[in-house]
Amino acid sequence: MKKKVSFTAVLVAAILAIGTAVAFAATAMQRYVTINQKGDIIETQDVEMQPEVTATPEPIANQEFDWAQLDEYVHNAPEEQYVQAMAESGGVARKPERKIFSESEFADLIAKCDYLTQPLFIPDGYHFDSATIMLGCNENGEYIQEELRQEGNTYFAHYSIAANSETMIGYEVIYRNEEGQYVSIYDQLSESDTDEEHLFSFPGEYVYRAENIPDMEYAISMQGNDHNSLCMMKILRNPIVCRWYPEKTKIDDQVGMMPDYFTYQSEEIDISSNSIDIEVLVSMFSK
C-alpha cells in the first residue's frame, strides 16, 4: 500500500486554522515533486494551473439536500460527541474532540498518554495558545446515542462516549510569541505501519530532506513559502484498539462494510512554523 500525503494541503490547512493568510503567485504551470519517507524522488510532474471557475449556485429547492443545513447541525453539536448528518448523495461527520485553553490542563492530559510523543522543549519566547484533544472510544467502552432522527432522506445523529470509555487518540497544540508567530504540533494515532510506502507531494521549489530523529521510523523536513514543516512517524510499542465510530445512520445498510474496531499501530506527527528554523524543529524531538 502507498499512503500519499500532500505537504501543501497540510501546510495550508494549518495556516488557515491559525488565521494566517498566504498569497500564491499566479502561474500557468506548477511543478510538483513526490518523494517517499526516505527522501527519494518518486515522481516529478508539471501541472497546469487552471483559473478558478465561479459556478452559479443551484437554487436550494433543486438540490437533493441542503449542505448548509448539514454543516450547521455538525457545527452546533457538542464538541465531545461523534456527529453525523447523512443523505443519499453524501454527508458530513465530526469526530469527538475537546478544546483546551489551559496549559496546565493540557500538560496533565498529555502526561497520562505515554504513547503520544511530546517535544523535548518549546523554543524560547513561545507560549501556550490553545490545544485540541482528539478522542476515541476504547475497545471495551460504548457510544451512547443522544439523538437519531430523519427528515426526508436525511439522517441526523450524535453520540457521546460512555463514562470512563474515552481514549486520547491525538492532539493539536499551538504556541505563539509576542509577534503572533507560531509553532504548531499535530499528533494523531494512525493504522499505518512500516510495510506501507508513505509518499509526500509539494511544489518543486520547496527544499526538503530526510532527517534522522531517534525512535522515528522516518522524518521529512520541508521549507517553502516562508514556512517550515517536519513530518514524522513513530511505531507504537503496544497497539491501541478503539471502537469504530457509530454507523447506525447508514442509508445503504451494508452489513460487514465497516470494521468493528480501529487498531492504531503508529502515530503521525506534523510540526509547522512560520518563524522557527528547521534545525530547531528537529532538535525539539532529538535527544
Side-chain angles (χ1 to χ4, degrees):
M1 294 179 63
K2 293 186 178 181
K3 181 176 181 182
K4 189 169 183 178
V5 179
S6 170
F7 257 131
T8 308
V10 171
L11 184 61
V12 171
I15 294 168
L16 292 177
I18 49 187
T20 304
V22 178
F24 293 91
T27 179
M29 300 292 294
Q30 174 69 64
R31 172 160 293 189
Y32 282 88
V33 175
T34 299
I35 65 172
N36 62 16
Q37 70 270 30
K38 299 177 182 179
D40 301 326
I41 295 178
I42 302 300
E43 180 184 53
T44 300
Q45 185 178 20
D46 290 325
V47 178
E48 185 175 358
M49 308 301 290
Q50 299 292 337
E52 183 176 351
V53 178
T54 302
T56 303
E58 183 181 358
I60 291 179
N62 295 330
Q63 295 180 356
E64 294 185 36
F65 57 93
D66 185 357
W67 280 104
Q69 181 186 22
L70 305 192
D71 288 332
E72 182 179 8
Y73 178 80
V74 171
H75 177 76
N76 291 334
E79 65 175 14
E80 295 185 25
Q81 295 182 0
Y82 174 77
V83 192
Q84 284 183 325
M86 306 293 293
E88 290 180 340
S89 299
V92 291
R94 191 197 66 205
K95 300 177 182 179
E97 62 183 29
R98 181 183 303 139
K99 291 183 171 53
I100 307 296
F101 298 98
S102 163
E103 184 171 16
S104 59
E105 181 182 1
F106 176 69
D108 290 343
L109 289 170
I110 292 294
K112 299 175 183 177
C113 301
D114 58 359
Y115 52 87
L116 291 177
T117 299
Q118 304 173 55
L120 299 175
F121 69 93
I122 301 300
D124 291 340
Y126 287 78
H127 307 285
F128 177 87
D129 181 79
S130 63
T132 299
I133 302 300
M134 293 79 159
L135 301 172
C137 181
N138 66 48
E139 60 180 320
N140 298 315
E142 63 177 342
Y143 285 101
I144 300 173
Q145 181 180 296
E146 302 290 349
E147 180 180 61
L148 177 58
R149 61 183 171 86
Q150 180 179 0
E151 295 182 5
N153 290 325
T154 303
Y155 289 76
F156 300 90
H158 53 96
Y159 305 79
S160 60
I161 300 175
N164 302 316
S165 295
E166 288 184 351
T167 295
M168 191 166 156
I169 60 172
Y171 70 88
E172 180 179 23
V173 60
I174 297 171
Y175 299 90
R176 293 186 186 274
N177 61 16
E178 293 183 355
E179 287 73 36
Q181 297 169 318
Y182 72 89
V183 55
S184 170
I185 304 172
Y186 186 93
D187 184 339
Q188 189 163 22
L189 298 186
S190 170
E191 295 180 280
S192 299
D193 58 32
T194 53
D195 293 333
E196 299 179 28
E197 183 177 33
H198 295 252
L199 302 180
F200 306 88
S201 182
F202 44 81
E205 66 269 19
Y206 286 20
V207 177
Y208 61 88
R209 66 173 180 260
E211 304 285 353
N212 184 17
I213 297 181
D215 299 325
M216 295 294 167
E217 296 300 316
Y218 67 76
I220 298 291
S221 66
M222 182 273 293
Q223 304 173 68
N225 203 29
D226 298 325
H227 286 80
N228 298 326
S229 293
L230 177 66
C231 184
M232 305 181 293
M233 174 183 174
K234 181 178 181 180
I235 296 297
L236 299 178
R237 293 181 179 176
N238 299 300
I240 293 176
V241 180
C242 287
R243 290 193 59 182
W244 191 272
Y245 297 105
E247 289 294 322
K248 296 179 180 179
T249 59
K250 287 193 303 182
I251 292 176
D252 54 343
D253 188 19
Q254 301 178 29
V255 178
M257 290 297 292
M258 305 295 282
D260 294 326
Y261 301 97
F262 289 100
T263 299
Y264 294 116
Q265 302 184 78
S266 62
E267 61 172 327
E268 297 181 352
I269 311 160
D270 294 306
I271 305 94
S272 63
S273 177
N274 60 353
S275 52
I276 303 296
D277 292 339
I278 282 293
E279 290 73 19
V280 177
L281 294 182
V282 170
S283 67
M284 289 170 59
F285 296 87
S286 299
K287 298 177 182 179

